[in-house]
Amino acid sequence: MKTFSHYLKGFCAALAFVFLAPQTTHAQAIRVVATFPDLADMTRQIGKDLVSVESLATGVEDPHGVPMKPSFVPRLNRAAVLIVTGLDDEHAWLPALLDVASNPKIMAGQRGYIDCSTGVPVLDAPTRLDRAEGDLHPKGNPHYLLDPANGKIAAQNIAAGLTRNFPQHQQAFEKNLAAYLAELDSSIARWEKMAAPLHGVKYVEYHPEWVYFARRFGLTRVGSIELKPGIEPTPNHLVQLVQQIKQEKAQVLIYGAQNPRIPQQISNETGIKLLRLYTSAGGRSETNTYIKWIDYTVRALVQAVS
Ligand SMILES: [Zn+2]
């Protein structure tokens, strides 16, 4: 006769099968941490089921000031590789986390540290290093992912970085990269058509982060609310900016994670259209992939100026 303990053993075995089996599969996937959702999405496109990817930021934060959560440290500790935007985009918050994560292989310059900015033609390159004055773009403008042609470079860097760490999967990474680059190419052709009404549009930005997008799609920058990247404006600067907006007939003021108070004031004074656009994927449910995010961004701007 079967005893209660016999049934209990069977029950536990079933539980172990249900709960442990998927975890075993999961544990075999390469653990990747990306700083931002767009990079996490690209890594999923290239790694497919070989990778398990988490993003630290969610997409609504100021990219230079992502609030550190205690959960970031164990995630970094367990990561096989770390994917970053680079160009010091994350310098205000990531190095401190890496210092306590006890994971030497993902420290800057190590094999597991994948810098997506390698080979990106950098805009707003500084003539001198003035981070001492609080400039958040000491190595030039790090918001290069807003140009989808640079998205292709980032994807290539991710594939190369994954291959460097896991050469046994090189073929899969290369095949997936080729498919993703082809998808990006056809998307870029579509966006260039969609963005035709943006040619010559004059814009104002809160933080200087739209230069790559503007160059790709033909917009002209009138000015920014910030005095310099990361430096809040003086009253004088705002008076000048309002005059400039009126003189040059700027059409749209783009802000992201920042407080809408100053954009609202400027809009009240000048009538300029306000548009909140996050400079990473993931900030809205409809922008949860890199391609969907660029798509949303182009569409929203075209709508704002038409
Ligand atoms: Zn910035």
Side-chain angles (χ1 to χ4, degrees):
M1 195 181 132
K2 285 177 179 171
T3 61
F4 174 73
S5 87
H6 181 90
Y7 280 113
L8 192 66
K9 267 183 207 161
F11 180 68
C12 289
L15 264 188
F17 179 77
V18 170
F19 290 103
L20 294 180
Q23 280 179 2
T24 308
T25 320
H26 189 74
Q28 283 165 350
I30 300 162
R31 281 179 189 272
V32 181
V33 168
T35 48
F36 292 100
D38 25 38
L39 302 177
D41 166 54
M42 287 181 183
T43 309
R44 286 184 196 108
Q45 308 291 335
I46 293 158
K48 302 277 185 196
D49 51 4
L50 293 169
V51 294
S52 154
V53 191
E54 291 180 294
S55 169
L56 296 179
T58 64
V60 296
E61 305 92 339
D62 166 8
H64 302 303
V66 174
M68 297 184 222
K69 293 184 196 149
S71 67
F72 287 178
V73 174
R75 285 155 89 184
L76 287 166
N77 174 261
R78 289 191 303 255
V81 294
L82 170 66
I83 318 262
V84 304
T85 311
L87 289 176
D88 273 1
D89 192 33
E90 298 100 339
H91 79 73
W93 56 279
L94 186 64
L97 287 166
L98 286 176
D99 279 346
V100 293
S102 317
N103 189 348
K105 66 181 176 295
I106 62 161
M107 297 296 279
Q110 299 305 307
R111 200 176 55 145
Y113 183 89
I114 302 176
D115 181 341
C116 292
S117 71
T118 306
V120 167
V122 179
L123 300 178
D124 297 345
T127 46
R128 62 192 183 93
L129 193 71
D130 52 2
R131 189 193 292 176
E133 297 167 33
D135 189 338
L136 284 174
H137 296 170
K139 291 183 175 166
N141 198 301
H143 305 288
Y144 60 85
L145 285 170
L146 277 157
D147 177 352
N150 291 333
K152 289 174 63 181
I153 298 176
Q156 283 162 328
N157 283 326
I158 292 170
L162 288 173
T163 299
R164 185 171 70 226
N165 285 275
F166 302 97
Q168 66 272 34
H169 300 307
Q170 178 170 10
Q171 244 184 338
F173 296 145
E174 280 176 3
K175 179 174 149 268
N176 298 339
L177 172 68
Y180 187 57
L181 292 179
E183 195 185 349
L184 272 172
D185 275 331
S186 65
S187 302
I188 289 171
R190 180 166 51 85
W191 291 323
E192 281 180 342
K193 274 192 204 129
M194 269 169 66
L198 299 180
H199 279 259
V201 161
K202 292 180 175 174
Y203 72 98
V204 174
E205 56 197 352
Y206 198 115
H207 174 73
E209 53 199 341
W210 289 89
V211 58
Y212 294 93
F213 185 92
R215 180 166 292 202
R216 169 67 41 195
F217 296 112
L219 295 86
T220 306
R221 179 180 178 272
V222 168
S224 66
I225 291 178
E226 285 180 356
L227 212 48
K228 285 201 294 179
I231 312 286
E232 287 299 325
T234 57
N236 241 348
H237 173 71
L238 290 179
V239 170
Q240 277 172 10
L241 185 62
V242 162
Q243 275 172 355
Q244 245 182 319
I245 290 171
K246 288 177 179 167
Q247 270 164 16
E248 301 192 34
K249 298 186 171 54
Q251 286 155 273
V252 61
L253 193 168
I254 313 166
Y255 69 105
Q258 303 89 1
N259 189 324
R261 189 179 55 84
I262 296 175
Q264 198 67 60
Q265 277 173 2
I266 292 176
S267 175
N268 291 346
E269 278 187 58
T270 61
I272 192 169
K273 184 132 189 171
L274 287 185
L275 191 57
R276 176 171 245 171
L277 289 173
Y278 295 109
T279 43
S280 168
R284 305 170 194 274
S285 57
E286 62 268 52
T287 63
N288 62 348
T289 70
Y290 178 69
I291 288 180
K292 283 195 207 167
W293 166 57
I294 298 284
D295 208 69
Y296 179 93
T297 303
V298 172
R299 211 176 288 278
L301 269 161
V302 167
Q303 213 167 35
V305 302
S306 60

